[in-house]
Amino acid sequence: MSKLDKSRIEFIEQLHHRFLIKKGHGAFAFISPSKAIKLFNAYLDSDEPADLFINRFVRSI
C-alpha cells in the first residue's frame, strides 16, 4: 500500500470519527464517499493540519 493510500485511509478515519463525535453518525451519513475523496484532495492542497481541516469542515455541515 502506498503512502498516499495510507494517508487517505487515515484522513477518512479521522473524518468519520469527528462526525461521530460532533454529529452522532459517521461521515457517510452526511457526505458521499466521492465527496470524502474530494475533501481529502482539498486537504492535500491546503497547508492545514488534518485535525483543523476536518473540524472546520464538520462545523460547516
Side-chain angles (χ1 to χ4, degrees):
M1 184 180 303
S2 74
K3 186 176 179 179
L4 180 62
D5 291 337
K6 288 179 185 179
S7 295
R8 186 181 304 116
I9 290 168
E10 289 173 10
F11 178 85
I12 292 173
E13 286 177 349
Q14 287 178 332
L15 180 66
H16 180 72
H17 183 44
R18 182 57 50 193
F19 266 102
L20 279 172
I21 290 170
K22 296 291 186 179
K23 305 289 185 178
H25 298 285
F28 298 134
F30 296 92
I31 63 172
S32 67
S34 63
K35 175 68 175 177
I37 298 300
K38 289 178 186 174
L39 195 61
F40 173 72
N41 291 334
Y43 156 70
L44 289 180
D45 291 339
S46 77
D47 291 330
E48 292 181 277
D51 287 342
L52 182 62
F53 186 88
I54 290 169
N55 284 335
R56 186 173 43 82
F57 177 75
V58 173
R59 280 193 313 265
S60 74
I61 300 287

